[in-house]
Amino acid sequence: MAWGGRLAFETFGWRFVTGRDWNAVSGNFGALVPIYGTLVTSVLALAIAVPVSIGIALFLTDIAPRWLRGPVGFAVELLAAIPSIIYGMWGLFVFAPFMAAHIEPRLNDHIGSLPVIGALFSGPPIGIGLLTASIVLGIMIIPFISAVARDVFNAVPPSLKEAAVARGSTLCQILSRVALPYTRSAIIGAIFLGLGRALGETMAVTFVLGNAHDLSASLLMPSNSIAAAIANEFTEADTDLYRSSLIALAFLLFVVTFIVLTAAKLMLIRIGRAQGSAH
């Protein structure tokens, strides 16, 4: 990918990473908007999915009655089997109109006028954009994170929970002071697994992100992602520079994913060393 994108890197240099313009007619290409869209949607998807996933895992392992754990766990895992294009079509034809009619106008009216954070929620309620794509992505990665979290919560030794009960701990205290600390490293691994899934998602994001090479602080505005840009434009790349720029985008996505996974591995190693020294 680096070799395939060398023409773009030689032509634009660092301007390819920092440039906002993406104009196939003039032959001017900058990757800042797709990089921004990829990172923002992935981070917001994690912010949505992590609390829900951990809540589902804790509910299935320690709160739900046994007769309910199987059906609910199966229903959550079934979400992982749905093709991403189905999520995209649902997002475009069902969820985006709902966002445009009910959610985004209220965000614009009640939060859009506030200082600082108002810029994030101001804009026309068109339904497609960064916020809608982030929510769809969050729904997509919930089954991956919750499945891993449920398995590691089930691996907590019963003796630890029994000891906490003997000391008079409530259920909330057992979950917060026993289950979560004991499985911290595995939960972080599950979170980064979901992040890797979100960074490379293509079809669902393509449907609901808007595919606009515009840089805006508003989460209600359309944007673009690296994977969506490649999927939409690769067949239309009629020049060597255009095609090289798309391949260079793929290389940048690889670099971003590599950095994220490396950071996750280093964090897990550090946590493991800290736990070893504590014991």
Side-chain angles (χ1 to χ4, degrees), residues 46 49-50 53-54 141-150 190-191 194-195:
L46 273 188
V50 169
S53 300
I54 294 178
I141 64 178
I142 281 175
F144 296 94
I145 301 177
S146 62
V148 177
R150 184 186 62 178
I191 291 172
L195 179 58

Side-chain angles (χ1 to χ4, degrees), residues 38-244:
T38 300
L39 295 178
V40 169
T41 53
S42 299
V43 171
L44 288 179
L46 273 188
I48 296 169
V50 169
V52 176
S53 300
I54 294 178
I56 290 173
L58 290 174
F59 175 77
L60 292 177
T61 55
D62 294 283
I63 300 176
R66 292 188 178 274
W67 63 268
L68 188 60
R69 296 178 184 180
V72 174
F74 177 76
V76 173
E77 293 177 355
L78 191 63
L79 294 175
I82 300 176
S84 61
I85 193 171
I86 302 300
Y87 280 104
M89 294 177 66
W90 169 79
L92 179 62
F93 294 113
V94 178
F95 188 62
F98 173 79
M99 290 287 291
H102 302 286
I103 305 300
E104 293 184 356
R106 296 182 180 180
L107 291 175
N108 201 350
D109 294 338
H110 295 88
I111 305 179
S113 59
L114 297 178
V116 184
I117 65 172
L120 298 176
F121 300 99
S122 60
I126 57 179
I128 59 175
L130 289 168
L131 182 60
T132 303
S134 300
I135 296 174
V136 173
L137 267 182
I139 295 173
M140 291 183 64
I141 64 178
I142 281 175
F144 296 94
I145 301 177
S146 62
V148 177
R150 184 186 62 178
D151 292 339
V152 298
F153 287 152
N154 282 327
V156 176
S159 58
L160 294 180
K161 296 181 180 180
E162 293 169 359
V165 172
R167 292 176 61 88
S169 300
T170 64
L171 179 59
C172 292
Q173 291 173 333
I174 294 173
L175 297 179
S176 61
R177 299 179 183 179
V178 177
L180 287 177
Y182 186 85
T183 60
R184 179 174 55 180
S185 60
I187 293 299
I188 292 176
I191 291 172
F192 278 96
L193 173 66
L195 179 58
R197 177 74 172 83
L199 286 172
E201 177 53 42
T202 304
M203 293 311 300
V205 175
T206 302
F207 274 89
V208 296
L209 187 54
N211 308 312
H213 285 280
D214 297 324
L215 189 63
S216 174
S218 176
L219 300 178
L220 307 185
M221 296 299 294
S223 185
N224 213 336
S225 71
I226 295 177
I230 296 173
N232 280 325
E233 303 182 31
F234 202 85
T235 57
E236 302 175 1
D238 53 356
T239 64
D240 292 338
L241 182 59
Y242 194 178
R243 185 164 50 251
S244 178

Side-chain angles (χ1 to χ4, degrees), residues 22-48:
W22 186 276
N23 194 324
V25 177
S26 62
N28 190 22
F29 300 100
L32 183 60
V33 173
I35 294 174
Y36 172 78
T38 300
L39 295 178
V40 169
T41 53
S42 299
V43 171
L44 288 179
L46 273 188
I48 296 169

Side-chain angles (χ1 to χ4, degrees), residues 184-185 188 262-278:
R184 179 174 55 180
S185 60
I188 292 176
T262 302
K265 184 64 176 178
L266 294 176
M267 185 180 299
L268 293 176
I269 292 175
R270 183 177 179 181
I271 292 174
R273 289 176 178 174
Q275 291 177 342
S277 61

Side-chain angles (χ1 to χ4, degrees), residues 242-266:
Y242 194 178
R243 185 164 50 251
S244 178
S245 298
L246 293 173
I247 299 175
L249 276 181
F251 175 73
L252 292 178
L253 179 60
F254 169 78
V255 171
V256 170
T257 306
F258 182 81
I259 292 174
V260 168
L261 296 181
T262 302
K265 184 64 176 178
L266 294 176

